[in-house]
């Protein structure tokens, strides 16, 4: 092969194609797809990095114009060639340049120096060492004597120990090395981020429900084209045990497993369980690791030195040599969608990787995303349902409190009388409780009683949140100011705080139950490193009776002594302008309710709401996923929303509002022209839910069509249009598939 096709390491639409380079003699026959090379590029032939995606004998342009590859990159991390195809799919489907897509599938940025372990070893027989020892003693060479004596006893010693504990200067070690009495051996070791100290445990015996699911999934795997499997099972029904059983089978075949979890915060408990079952050959990959740790995990995986990789969405790209299974726990979580370009969805990308590499894919959740459940209904995924918990047979008892009725009775407190009674009983019984506040739209904000003006962030179109000590904080950009004395709009001195934040809830609860011990978990109390873990473990250790918090308290963690969950205002997420608002509400409520009665004690849940008839609240109170799904899918079908129809969102942002509006209008005109040919439906442009963040204006256009391929085609047309029109260079564009 004479030429290599190379993707250059510059993300720009105009450079988003392979460039040809000549393969120099010294690299002939050595260049493989996925390798990183240094190449001269552009004016001045500056050296930049590039990824080889193929080699060929056919020149695309006049051969004399083709430049030569400079060298292999010394610090670049290559792409596993199996993942190049996945990157290409991500690029086409979600919208990105190929270099962005390639970087997405490489979870580490650059090579890191290996960690070294130095050992000092005795290099002569015991007899000879004994003779020399006597000699050193006679000559009063005490440091040499101590070193040789220690080596005679131990055979070998770590370098650190010799220089610190034994206090031997390095020069002395070198001198004995020169006398050939000892050897210094340098080994490279992989950094291991897993620090659990747990003993191995026998696997549990699966109960009949679990066994049934495992058998069903294995039966699916026997088929010619096995489908992804979705386990819909209530929290605590034993899904994790099912995953581990499936993984054990895959490992027996000499293959590896990826286990995806929605949040880094859940790593520890997951790792603990997997360590107990599978021992040392598991690892983690996430953004909290040091660059050295990350690189080493990548290498260990690539070389097949570990069997199971656990981590958030980026762990999906672990370069195992023989991937056997991908498991995505808590399938519905929003953290599985990437927030940066390419905005890939982990579930779809996992299915694609499984397809490309012949690996099985299993999803599990108590509340499947409407999209995934729809696919299961259509038979694209195979569905398994488990309705019973392993331990306590009973699901918690749920009551709904209508806050409008409370208001009529004159109760303006955040705590309804029903909830207060339940709290008193729970405390009297010595149990624990969790009070859950939906942060979005519910943190305290400040408004003027005279003119109604809400105090907003000067850089974002959101209200500032009121914090203790009279500080007003923007949760989007971090802007901070003090509470003004008068209304900035009308000058009235009558400002009052509106709504309520976790801090105010704490104040109210402390007043009602002065003897109760309270912990609060929110942005303020978890700022320090491991802040979450500290609060959760304090609560788990029984150091408090009441845990008050936002979304953060809903996930993971088993608290066997929690018998009461109070949801202070269930409906606040319903009024978001997102077609998934009802789905989010249902998921949040179900997960929050699932926190009650995890141990041997039965649980109770109180949902306070202004909208008690809403189907997502009704269905959540009955823990009835199917009822929710039926209503929701009907609503989606009427609106033409996904999954009933495909949708492509084109997000655009710019600091220049007028320019952005104009550019989006032109884009709409272009889409309107396509409309007649493609049958797409174009909605917008309109403002994003938050129309301005950090002084950047944000607009969105939606394109709908039942056929996903049609949308991919439209996206390509839009990409071309934008590339051709210089005016769009001032605008930042992102695509999103829904
Ligand atoms: P999920 O992942 O569905 O929330 P888990 O796998 O965490 O459920 O199971 C809930 C609890 O029940 C865990 O403490 C787990 O160890 C235990 N458990 C699960 N299956 C069994 C079983 N077959 N026998 C005994 N205990 C089990
Ligand atoms: Zn702001
Ligand atoms: Zn005012």
């Amino acid at each position: 092969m004479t030429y290599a096709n190379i993707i250059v390491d510059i993300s720009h639409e105009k450079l988003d194609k392979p460039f040809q380079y000549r393969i120099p003699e010294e690299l002939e026959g050595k260049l493989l797809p996925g390798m990183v090379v240094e190449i001269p590029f552009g004016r001045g032939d500056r050296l930049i990095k590039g990824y080889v995606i193929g080699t060929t004998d056919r020149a695309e342009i006049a051969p004399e114009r083709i430049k030569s590859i400079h060298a292999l990159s010394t610090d670049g991390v290559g792409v596993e060639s199996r993942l190049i195809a996945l990157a290409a799919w991500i690029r086409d489907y979600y919208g990105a340049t190929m270099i962005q897509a390639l970087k997405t599938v490489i979870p580490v940025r650059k090579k890191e120096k290996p960690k070294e372990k130095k050992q000092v070893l005795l290099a002569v027989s015991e007899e000879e060492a004994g003779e020399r020892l006597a000699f050193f003693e006679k000559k009063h060479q005490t440091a040499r004597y101590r070193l040789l004596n220690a080596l005679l006893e131990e055979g070998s010693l770590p370098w650190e120990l010799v220089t610190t504990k034994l206090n031997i200067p390095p020069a002395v070690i070198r001198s004995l090395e020169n006398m050939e009495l000892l050897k210094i051996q340098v080994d490279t070791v992989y950094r291991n981020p897993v620090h659990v100290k747990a003993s191995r445990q026998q696997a549990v015996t699966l109960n009949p429900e679990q066994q049934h699911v495992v058998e069903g999934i294995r039966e699916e795997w026997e088929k010619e084209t096995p489908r992804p499997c979705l386990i819909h099972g209530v929290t605590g029904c034993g899904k994790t045990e099912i995953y581990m059983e499936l993984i054990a089978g895959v490992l027996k075949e000499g293959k590896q497993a990826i286990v995806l979890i929605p949040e880094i915060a859940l790593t520890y408990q997951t790792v603990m369980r997997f360590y107990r079952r599978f021992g040392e050959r598991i690892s983690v990959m996430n953004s909290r690791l040091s660059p050295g740790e990350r690189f080493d995990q990548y290498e260990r995986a690539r070389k097949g030195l570990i069997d199971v990789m656990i981590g958030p969405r980026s762990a999906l790209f672990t370069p195992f040599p023989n991937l056997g299974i991908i498991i995505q726990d808590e399938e519905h979580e929003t953290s599985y969608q990437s927030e940066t370009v390419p905005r890939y969805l982990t579930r779809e990308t996992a299915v694609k990787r499984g397809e490309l590499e012949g690996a099985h894919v299993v999803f599990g959740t108590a509340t499947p995303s409407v999209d995934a459940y729809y696919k299961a209904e259509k038979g694209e995924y195979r569905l398994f349902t488990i309705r019973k918990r392993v331990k306590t047979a009973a699901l918690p008892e749920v009551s709904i409190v209508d806050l409008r009725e409370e208001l009529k009775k004159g109760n303006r407190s955040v705590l309804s009388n029903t909830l207060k009674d339940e709290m008193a009983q729970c405390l009297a019984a010595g149990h624990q409780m969790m009070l859950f506040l939906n942060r979005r739209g519910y943190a305290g904000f400040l408004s003027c009683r005279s003119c109604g003006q809400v105090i907003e962030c000067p850089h974002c179109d959101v209200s500032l949140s009121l914090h203790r000590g009279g500080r007003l904080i923007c949760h989007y950009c971090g802007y901070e100011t003090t509470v003004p004395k008068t209304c900035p709009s009308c000058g009235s001195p009558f400002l009052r705080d509106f709504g309520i934040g976790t801090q105010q809830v704490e104040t109210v609860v402390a007043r009602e139950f002065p003897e109760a011990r309270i912990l609060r978990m929110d942005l303020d109390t978890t700022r320090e490193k491991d802040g979450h873990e500290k609060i959760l473990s304090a609560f788990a250790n029984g150091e408090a009776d009441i845990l008050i918090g936002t979304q953060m308290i809903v996930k993971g963690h088993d608290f066997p002594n929690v018998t009461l969950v109070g949801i202070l205002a269930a409906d606040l997420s319903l009024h978001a302008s997102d077609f998934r608002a009802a789905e989010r509400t249902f998921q949040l409520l179900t997960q929050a309710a699932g926190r009650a009665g995890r141990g041997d004690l039965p649980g109770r849940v109180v949902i306070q709401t202004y909208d008690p008839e809403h189907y997502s609240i009704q269905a959540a109170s009955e823990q009835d996923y199917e009822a929710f799904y039926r209503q929701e899918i009907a609503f989606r079908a009427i609106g033409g929303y996904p999954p009933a129809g495909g949708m492509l969102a084109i997000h655009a942002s710019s600091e220049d509002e007028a320019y952005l509006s104009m550019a989006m209008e032109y884009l709409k005109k272009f889409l309107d022209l396509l409309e007649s040919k493609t049958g797409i439906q174009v909605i917008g442009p309109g403002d994003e839910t938050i129309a301005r963040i950090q002084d950047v204006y944000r607009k969105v256009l939606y394109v709908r069509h039942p056929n996903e391929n049609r949308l991919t085609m439209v996206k390509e047309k839009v990409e071309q249009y934008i590339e051709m029109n210089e005016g769009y260079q001032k605008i930042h564009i992102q695509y999103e598939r829904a």
Side-chain angles (χ1 to χ4, degrees):
M1 299 289 158
T2 325
Y3 307 106
N5 291 327
I6 291 174
I7 300 289
V8 299
D9 189 6
I10 301 174
S11 182
H12 193 288
E13 282 97 39
K14 291 213 164 120
L15 304 179
D16 190 22
K17 60 179 180 219
F19 287 82
Q20 280 202 324
Y21 281 85
R22 191 181 301 278
I23 302 175
E25 229 169 77
E26 69 271 18
L27 290 180
E28 253 171 48
K30 288 188 196 149
L31 219 51
L32 296 170
M35 284 183 170
V36 193
V37 290
E38 302 213 319
I39 43 173
F41 191 80
R43 249 170 269 142
D45 280 345
R46 190 164 59 90
L47 283 183
I48 63 164
K49 283 199 180 90
Y51 293 82
V52 177
I53 56 164
T55 52
T56 175
D57 279 325
R58 237 192 50 216
E60 306 273 329
I61 57 170
E64 62 276 13
R65 284 177 53 211
I66 300 182
K67 296 173 196 167
S68 239
I69 293 174
H70 177 72
L72 283 178
S73 161
T74 48
D75 66 343
V77 179
V79 200
E80 289 299 299
S81 60
R82 294 181 301 279
L83 288 167
I84 294 178
L86 186 65
W89 177 82
I90 288 174
R91 174 196 176 279
D92 293 343
Y93 192 77
Y94 294 105
T97 58
M98 188 62 188
I99 192 72
Q100 284 172 327
L102 283 173
K103 288 188 170 174
T104 302
V105 303
I106 314 172
V108 293
R109 277 293 151 262
K110 65 182 190 47
K111 285 189 185 146
E112 298 290 335
K113 274 219 192 75
K115 194 173 143 189
E116 292 186 337
K117 206 177 114 200
K118 265 200 249 179
Q119 284 282 121
V120 181
L121 295 102
L122 188 64
V124 290
S125 69
E126 287 194 11
E127 271 180 353
E128 196 182 338
E131 280 168 24
R132 301 304 296 250
L133 199 62
F135 176 77
F136 291 151
E137 191 175 19
K138 210 169 84 197
K139 294 276 175 191
H140 299 290
Q141 296 177 344
T142 55
R144 287 180 173 182
Y145 175 83
R146 270 188 296 128
L147 174 56
L148 193 57
N149 196 25
L151 283 175
L152 199 53
E153 272 167 28
E154 302 293 330
S156 74
L157 291 163
W159 175 276
E160 272 89 68
L161 192 121
V162 175
T163 50
T164 57
K165 266 242 179 79
L166 294 179
N167 200 16
I168 311 271
V172 172
I173 308 178
R174 297 284 175 209
S175 72
L176 293 207
E177 187 190 20
N178 290 339
M179 295 177 207
E180 293 179 356
L181 292 174
L182 60 79
K183 270 196 308 225
I184 299 167
Q185 185 177 311
V186 183
D187 293 319
T188 59
V189 286
Y190 289 114
R191 301 160 182 94
N192 187 350
V194 175
H195 304 294
V196 293
K197 284 190 193 66
S199 47
R200 295 287 288 271
Q201 266 176 14
Q202 280 274 303
V204 300
T205 310
L206 297 186
N207 64 29
E209 279 85 4
Q210 291 168 315
Q211 195 56 42
H212 179 77
V213 173
V214 168
E215 278 162 19
I217 291 177
R218 290 198 174 134
E219 175 203 284
E220 182 67 28
W221 292 353
E222 293 295 315
K223 294 184 182 163
E224 194 158 327
T225 44
R227 291 171 288 171
C229 295
L230 170 63
I231 308 172
H232 171 210
V234 291
T235 23
C237 74
K239 291 185 293 298
T240 309
E241 297 296 336
I242 294 176
Y243 304 152
M244 292 200 286
E245 186 63 25
L246 293 171
I247 289 172
V250 167
L251 299 192
K252 272 205 196 107
E253 294 171 22
K255 297 181 176 179
Q256 299 88 33
I258 293 172
V259 178
L260 301 172
I261 52 176
E263 273 189 78
I264 297 181
L266 303 177
T267 307
Y268 185 74
Q269 53 173 14
T270 312
V271 166
M272 204 54 174
R273 287 181 73 175
F274 277 77
Y275 187 92
R276 290 212 164 103
R277 176 79 181 255
F278 299 110
E280 295 283 343
R281 285 176 68 88
I282 66 162
S283 193
V284 297
M285 178 76 106
N286 62 52
S287 59
R288 285 208 196 140
L289 305 188
S290 70
E293 283 175 327
R294 280 174 74 85
F295 180 68
D296 282 1
Q297 302 329 297
Y298 186 82
E299 286 294 289
R300 290 173 82 197
R302 206 169 57 80
K303 294 183 175 154
L305 299 176
I306 46 175
D307 295 329
V308 183
M309 184 64 92
I310 299 165
R313 62 171 186 255
S314 62
L316 171 61
F317 305 111
T318 305
F320 278 130
N322 197 359
L323 181 62
I325 188 169
I326 302 168
I327 295 199
Q328 181 178 335
D329 191 27
E330 307 289 347
E331 169 279 322
H332 63 281
E333 287 285 346
T334 49
S335 60
Y336 281 122
Q337 182 178 25
S338 163
E339 287 122 38
T340 52
V341 176
R343 299 191 51 166
Y344 69 90
L345 193 65
T346 304
R347 174 169 46 81
E348 294 169 324
T349 313
V351 170
K352 192 69 198 177
R353 181 162 187 199
E355 223 173 272
L356 289 169
E357 295 185 33
H360 301 305
V361 181
V362 175
F363 307 116
T365 168
T367 51
S369 66
V370 169
D371 295 350
Y373 204 75
Y374 183 76
K375 288 210 153 90
E377 275 218 310
K378 283 199 308 182
E380 267 182 61
Y381 300 164
R382 173 133 174 210
L383 179 67
F384 297 90
T385 307
I386 311 177
R387 295 175 205 278
K388 252 176 53 195
R389 284 182 173 178
V390 175
K391 286 174 184 165
T392 38
L395 289 167
E397 201 174 299
V398 183
S399 34
I400 298 182
V401 175
D402 186 344
L403 287 174
R404 294 168 306 190
E405 293 297 318
E406 291 286 313
L407 277 180
K408 276 188 210 153
K409 284 186 241 156
N411 179 14
R412 298 186 165 275
S413 165
V414 281
L415 305 175
S416 63
N417 290 324
T418 311
L419 181 54
K420 255 188 270 179
D421 290 348
E422 292 284 354
M423 287 171 73
Q425 280 178 35
C426 176
L427 288 172
H431 298 161
Q432 290 177 298
M433 74 186 82
M434 293 166 101
L435 296 181
F436 169 68
L437 188 68
N438 190 356
R439 162 149 248 139
R440 274 173 214 280
Y442 207 43
F445 55 93
L446 205 62
S447 82
C448 169
R449 277 199 218 197
S450 308
C451 74
Q453 171 85 27
V454 173
I455 312 292
E456 293 192 335
C457 173
H459 307 288
C460 313
D461 287 343
V462 294
S463 52
L464 291 171
S465 300
L466 189 59
H467 287 239
R468 199 167 281 171
R471 289 175 306 143
L472 286 168
I473 298 175
C474 172
H475 286 181
Y476 285 85
C477 75
Y479 173 84
E480 199 174 320
T481 184
T482 49
V483 171
K485 296 246 163 4
T486 55
C487 169
S489 167
C490 76
S492 155
F494 302 108
L495 296 171
R496 65 162 198 154
D497 60 71
F498 211 90
I500 186 158
T502 37
Q503 291 176 344
Q504 288 100 313
V505 174
E506 183 180 1
T507 311
V508 172
V509 172
R511 207 165 46 221
E512 289 285 341
F513 302 97
E515 74 290 357
R517 296 164 305 158
I518 305 172
L519 272 174
R520 177 167 60 85
M521 185 149 130
D522 59 20
L523 230 54
D524 282 346
T525 59
T526 54
R527 208 156 274 168
E528 61 174 308
K529 191 172 183 295
D530 301 329
H532 293 90
E533 285 299 324
K534 280 183 193 153
I535 293 173
L536 291 172
S537 65
F539 190 59
N541 292 338
E543 288 166 33
D545 309 301
I546 305 177
L547 176 62
I548 299 171
T550 55
Q551 264 97 321
M552 301 175 191
I553 66 172
V554 174
K555 287 166 198 159
H557 288 275
D558 258 339
F559 300 110
N561 204 31
V562 168
T563 57
L564 175 64
V565 168
I567 294 157
L568 299 179
D571 33 353
L572 284 149
S573 53
L574 278 179
H575 304 297
S577 59
D578 174 356
F579 71 88
R580 291 207 166 91
E583 180 176 355
R584 300 264 177 270
T585 303
F586 176 80
Q587 284 166 350
L588 226 60
L589 295 185
T590 314
Q591 303 262 317
R595 300 282 99 207
R598 299 271 290 186
D600 300 325
L601 307 162
R604 298 185 70 80
V605 180
V606 177
I607 299 178
Q608 304 189 147
T609 171
Y610 290 98
D611 204 354
E613 292 89 27
H614 195 283
Y615 63 87
S616 66
I617 290 174
Q618 285 290 332
S621 77
E622 279 149 31
Q623 314 251 325
D624 188 345
Y625 179 84
E626 276 88 4
F628 163 75
Y629 176 80
R630 293 282 149 247
Q631 292 259 5
E632 182 67 9
I633 203 75
F635 155 75
R636 301 270 179 102
I638 292 167
Y641 290 117
M647 189 157 91
L648 169 73
I650 306 171
H651 300 281
S653 56
S654 165
E655 288 182 3
D656 186 337
E657 190 182 15
Y659 192 83
L660 178 66
S661 296
M662 190 181 68
M664 288 301 267
E665 284 305 329
Y666 276 105
L667 188 56
K668 172 161 169 67
K669 289 211 180 86
F670 173 74
L671 285 166
D672 286 343
L673 287 176
L674 283 182
E675 191 171 334
S676 58
K677 280 185 256 168
T678 54
I680 54 169
Q681 187 192 359
V682 184
I683 302 151
D687 286 341
E688 299 267 23
T689 312
I690 296 168
R692 186 178 51 132
I693 292 181
Q694 278 194 289
D695 292 320
V696 172
Y697 294 87
R698 307 161 77 235
K699 289 191 184 292
V700 60
L701 258 166
Y702 293 102
V703 184
R704 297 209 290 226
H705 195 278
N707 184 338
E708 294 286 350
N709 294 335
R710 187 60 59 89
L711 288 175
T712 301
M713 200 192 79
V714 168
K715 181 181 66 58
E716 276 161 17
K717 289 244 170 1
V718 172
E719 282 171 335
Q720 285 163 13
Y721 173 78
I722 284 171
E723 195 192 320
M724 274 168 5
N725 289 279
E726 298 276 318
Y728 286 96
Q729 282 184 9
K730 282 208 265 173
I731 289 170
H732 183 66
I733 303 243
Q734 274 194 18
Y735 302 93
E736 181 191 4
R737 296 298 284 259

